[in-house]
């Protein structure tokens, strides 16, 4: 008896074979420091190509014009030229390079593309917000005071190259104006990001429904921390501006080297609470992360290493915990890191305040050690040519870990070493090699070394010392071969003995199977491609054991179906029992290919007069199809067929268990056509 109710059949059921394959793939790429340098140089060369020959001739800063446009973007590679930046309006103090206002749209876009390559998205946003602040107080857009001034402006910012852009030779990129100075010095894969100056007036404003606060993140972090600090962090003296801003000759950064304080520096980071320490780390990140990811990551590793933070101070001055008064000051002072933040009285709005900040690197401003008479961007962290190697040693033996390091540039010849076990400092282990003799069970662990120079630090990869004190693994019950149908659930199991923790890795042939790391390896709904040889490697700290290969043999259910009925060699479209259903469809719907049957075909219902007309197509499907697939297609005209996909065009599907080995499948295809045709198509690989 047919399981479906008697329904009007207003569609024709057709059978055809088909197969559809599709694949989706993707890749993720990570940028390195070298790749970032190459990207910046490429963008710089693109910009240079938009300029005239005279705008690409190397000049010196002595030719700069206050408040006007200079003749070239390119400057000779000297420290004197690199030090030309300021925080005062460009109408008062010269800047290097070409002014944005004089660039064509094409040239300006090319210049901004350099910034996008050189700094992070956070850094480009900061630059844009600071320029918008100048646009606002200049009255280039309507401001709250209704004033205008030619002192400031959105396009009164400059771009300059100190030295020709290169992926191998040192050069510097400068982007700045009134309240921003990016000074980035490149030398191959090495990049110096300082000095960096940022300020804003007003501190926040709303224009056209959008609120702006260029230094809002930094101000918020300082406010959170400042209110919790005690007088242990109070600095002596008063502060009208940042101490180490561009306060040299001509209001440029000419007074080198800086004399950073060695006492009265505030409160040590290590004495702060966990919450306070979190604010400090976030504050450091808020500055460093303005720069390109690779270099930001390197600098944060140096600035926020345990060693560096142990020598880092925070300090403040001024009585207001809300940063609301002129002279409020905050500072982070580390072995290399120096960040100042000060509140000044307003200039555009004399009744208000505005913020100034500077970030410096005591060893790497302009890519060089202080005291240089020319830019010497050879200051770099040390390099490792040989890292310590993992070892397995028996109790009572000895193990030596070694590293081969080299200084990388002038001023960095002296290297110091510190070995670690895990994250713990090993007392006295301060040479290029470290020996453990005799080995005990407690010697086991991960060992690494930090190599430190004036250019920074580098940490080796961890080498694991494995100490043998237990029995090696042995396989007591090996996995067995399995024969099953395609689409069946199959598994292999191994039983092994051995001391300590046993780990497992299953292989198909010679390839490790991702995630197959337990004593049992299970394959759900095994595809035909799963057939092959398998083995497992069982490992502990004393060694490993490998099982013999076993075989997974998979048989296609359709092939077995044909063989069971003596139909091997027939085609998929053969109708052996003459009941109008081909052998392949007999298999899909769970029929008997040698006995004519009725009720195998899909049943359709279609009521064009219903409130929501739809074709409802119902049919059986074998629960074990192996590699055989099926699809439903529909058409109003028998010319163009559309595959019915659940969720598309409001099509719904359902699959419910009907009997052992058989499901009931229902497709509901909404339509407003007076007639609709549908077919079920099956295919083999």
């Amino acid at each position: 008896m047919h399981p479906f109710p008697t329904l009007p059949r207003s569609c024709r059921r057709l059978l055809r074979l088909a197969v559809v394959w599709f694949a989706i793939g993707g890749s993720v790429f990570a940028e390195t420091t070298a790749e970032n340098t190459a990207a910046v140089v490429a963008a710089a060369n693109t910009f240079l190509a938009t300029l005239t020959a005279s705008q690409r001739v190397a000049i010196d800063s002595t030719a700069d014009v206050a408040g006007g446009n200079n003749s070239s973007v390119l400057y000779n590679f000297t420290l004197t030229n690199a030090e030309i930046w300021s925080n005062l309006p460009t109408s008062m103090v010269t800047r290097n390079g070409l002014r944005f206002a004089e660039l064509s749209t094409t040239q300006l876009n090319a210049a901004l593309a350099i910034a996008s390559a050189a700094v992070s998205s956070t850094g480009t946003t900061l630059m844009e917000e600071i320029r918008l602040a100048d646009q606002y107080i200049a009255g280039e857009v309507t401001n709250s005071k209704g004033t205008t001034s030619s002192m400031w402006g959105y396009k009164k910012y400059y771009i300059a190259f100190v030295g020709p852009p290169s992926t191998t030779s040192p050069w510097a990129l400068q982007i700045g104006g009134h309240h921003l100075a990016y000074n980035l010095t490149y030398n191959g894969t090495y990049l110096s990001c300082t000095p960096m100056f940022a300020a804003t007036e007003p501190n926040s404003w709303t224009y056209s429904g959008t609120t702006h606060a260029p230094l809002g993140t930094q101000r918020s972090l300082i406010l959170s921390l400042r209110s919790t600090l005690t007088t242990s962090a109070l600095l002596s003296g008063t502060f009208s501006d940042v101490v180490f801003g561009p306060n040299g000759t001509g209001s440029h950064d000419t007074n080198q080297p800086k004399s950073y304080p060695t006492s009265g520096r505030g409160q040590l980071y290590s004495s702060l609470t966990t919450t306070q320490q979190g604010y400090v780390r976030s504050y450091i990140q808020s500055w460093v992360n303005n720069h390109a990811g690779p270099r930001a990551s390197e600098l944060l590793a140096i600035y926020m290493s345990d060693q560096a933070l142990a020598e880092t101070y925070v300090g403040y001055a001024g009585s207001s915990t809300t940063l609301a008064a002129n002279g409020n000051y905050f500072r982070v002072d580390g072995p290399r890191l120096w960040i100042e933040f000060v509140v000044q009285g307003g200039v555009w709005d004399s009744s208000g305040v505005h913020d100034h900040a500077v970030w410096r690197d005591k060893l790497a401003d302009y890519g060089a050690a202080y005291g240089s008479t020319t830019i010497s961007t050879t200051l770099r962290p040390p390099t490792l040519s040989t890292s310590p190697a993992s070892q397995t040693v028996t109790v009572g033996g000895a193990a030596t870990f070694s590293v081969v390091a080299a200084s990388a540039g002038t001023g960095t010849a002296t290297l110091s070493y510190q070995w670690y076990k895990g994250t713990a400092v090993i007392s006295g282990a301060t040479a290029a090699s470290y020996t453990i003799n005799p080995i005990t069970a407690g010697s086991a662990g991960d060992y690494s070394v930090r190599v430190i120079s004036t250019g920074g630090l580098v940490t080796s990869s961890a080498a694991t010392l494995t100490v043998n004190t237990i029995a090696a693994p042995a396989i007591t019950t090996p996995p067995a071969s399995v024969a099953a149908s395609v689409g069946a659930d199959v598994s292999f199991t191994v039983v092994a003995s051995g001391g300590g923790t046993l780990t497992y890795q299953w292989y198909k042939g010679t390839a490790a199977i991702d995630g197959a790391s337990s004593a049992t390896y299970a394959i759900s709904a095994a595809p035909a491609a799963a057939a092959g040889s398998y083995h497992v490697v069982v490992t502990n700290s004393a060694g490993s054991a490998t099982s013999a290969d076993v075989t997974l043999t998979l048989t296609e259910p359709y092939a077995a179906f044909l063989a069971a009925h003596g139909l091997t060699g027939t085609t998929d479209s053969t109708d052996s029992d003459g009941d109008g259903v081909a052998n392949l469809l007999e298999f899909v719907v769970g029929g008997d290919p040698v006995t004519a049957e009725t009720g195998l075909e899909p049943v359709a219902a279609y009521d064009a007069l219903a409130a929501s007309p739809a074709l409802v197509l119902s049919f059986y499907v074998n629960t074990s199809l192996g590699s055989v697939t099926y699809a439903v297609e529909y058409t109003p005209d028998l010319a163009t067929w559309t595959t019915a996909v659940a969720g598309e065009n409001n099509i719904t599907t359902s699959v419910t268990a009907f009997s052992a080995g058989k499901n009931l499948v229902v497709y509901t295809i909404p339509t407003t056509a007076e007639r609709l045709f549908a077919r079920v198509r099956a295919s083999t690989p």
Side-chain angles (χ1 to χ4, degrees), residues 289-632:
N289 283 334
N290 282 302
H291 291 276
R295 185 53 179 160
S297 297
E298 292 175 5
L299 286 174
L300 288 173
I302 294 170
Y303 295 160
M304 299 203 303
S305 67
D306 293 340
Q307 184 180 42
L309 288 175
E311 301 176 28
T312 295
Y313 295 80
V314 296
Y316 73 89
S319 59
S320 172
T321 61
T322 61
L323 303 183
N326 182 19
N328 280 270
Y329 179 84
F330 180 78
R331 185 167 77 206
V332 176
D333 176 7
R336 281 181 53 170
L337 179 66
W338 176 270
I339 305 175
E340 298 179 78
F341 189 104
V342 69
V343 180
Q344 286 194 325
V347 176
W348 169 73
D349 181 1
S350 59
S351 65
V353 296
H354 75 291
D355 300 333
H356 280 197
V358 69
W359 161 31
R360 290 187 177 272
D361 189 308
K362 298 176 184 178
L363 295 178
D365 271 8
Y366 306 108
Y370 279 125
S372 300
T373 55
T374 60
I375 301 175
S376 176
T377 51
T378 56
L379 181 69
R380 304 182 189 177
T383 60
L384 301 182
S385 57
T386 303
S387 293
S390 296
Q391 304 175 48
T392 299
V393 183
T394 304
V395 168
T400 297
F401 296 104
S402 298
V403 66
V404 177
S407 60
T410 58
T412 63
T414 301
L415 301 178
S416 61
Y417 302 83
Q418 178 60 65
W419 288 88
Y420 292 77
K421 181 182 181 185
T423 59
V425 172
I426 303 173
S427 178
T430 55
S433 63
Y434 171 59
T435 298
I436 309 171
N437 188 16
I439 294 290
T440 67
S443 302
D446 292 332
Y447 293 81
S448 61
V449 62
R450 278 182 176 168
V451 186
I452 306 166
S453 75
T454 55
L457 64 85
V458 62
T459 303
S460 74
S461 57
T464 300
L465 175 61
T466 302
V467 179
N468 282 338
T469 60
I470 58 176
I475 294 176
T476 56
T477 304
S481 294
V482 175
S485 296
V486 172
D489 295 335
V490 298
S491 64
F492 298 104
T493 298
V494 68
V495 178
S497 63
T501 301
L502 298 179
T503 61
Y504 303 84
Q505 179 59 63
W506 289 87
Y507 292 78
K508 182 184 179 189
T510 60
I513 302 169
D514 187 35
S517 55
S518 62
T520 296
Y521 172 53
I523 308 173
S524 299
S533 63
Y534 292 80
H535 69 272
V536 63
V537 177
V538 185
T539 305
N540 67 7
S541 60
S544 63
T546 303
S547 73
D549 283 345
V550 293
T551 302
L552 173 59
T553 303
L554 295 173
T555 303
E556 284 285 354
Y558 180 46
F561 171 81
L562 293 176
H565 292 90
L567 299 177
T568 300
T570 61
T571 66
D572 295 339
S573 59
T574 301
D575 180 8
S576 298
D577 57 9
D579 61 0
V581 182
N583 291 345
L584 178 59
L585 269 300
E586 292 266 13
F587 168 70
V588 170
V589 301
D592 183 340
V594 296
T595 302
E597 301 170 279
T598 60
L600 296 178
E601 302 92 337
V603 173
Y606 176 42
D607 185 357
L609 300 179
S612 299
L615 168 67
V616 180
L617 188 70
S618 307
F619 54 96
Y620 299 118
V621 172
N622 191 337
T623 58
S624 180
L625 294 179
S627 299
V628 172
T629 60
Y630 70 90
V632 170

Side-chain angles (χ1 to χ4, degrees), residues 96-162:
N96 289 336
L98 300 177
R99 190 167 63 169
F100 288 3
E102 274 67 49
L103 298 177
S104 68
T105 299
T106 298
Q107 292 169 335
L108 180 57
N109 288 339
L112 295 177
I114 302 172
S116 295
V119 299
S120 67
S121 59
T122 302
T124 55
T125 298
L126 176 65
M127 180 175 75
E128 175 67 8
E129 288 288 292
I130 290 174
R131 292 177 63 205
L132 288 174
D134 274 9
Q135 179 188 53
Y136 184 75
I137 63 176
E140 294 172 350
V141 296
T142 302
N143 59 46
S144 60
K145 295 171 64 67
T147 60
T148 61
S149 173
S150 61
M151 185 178 296
W152 310 290
Y154 181 67
K155 289 189 176 181
K156 292 184 178 181
Y157 282 75
Y158 292 74
I159 183 168
F161 305 146
V162 182

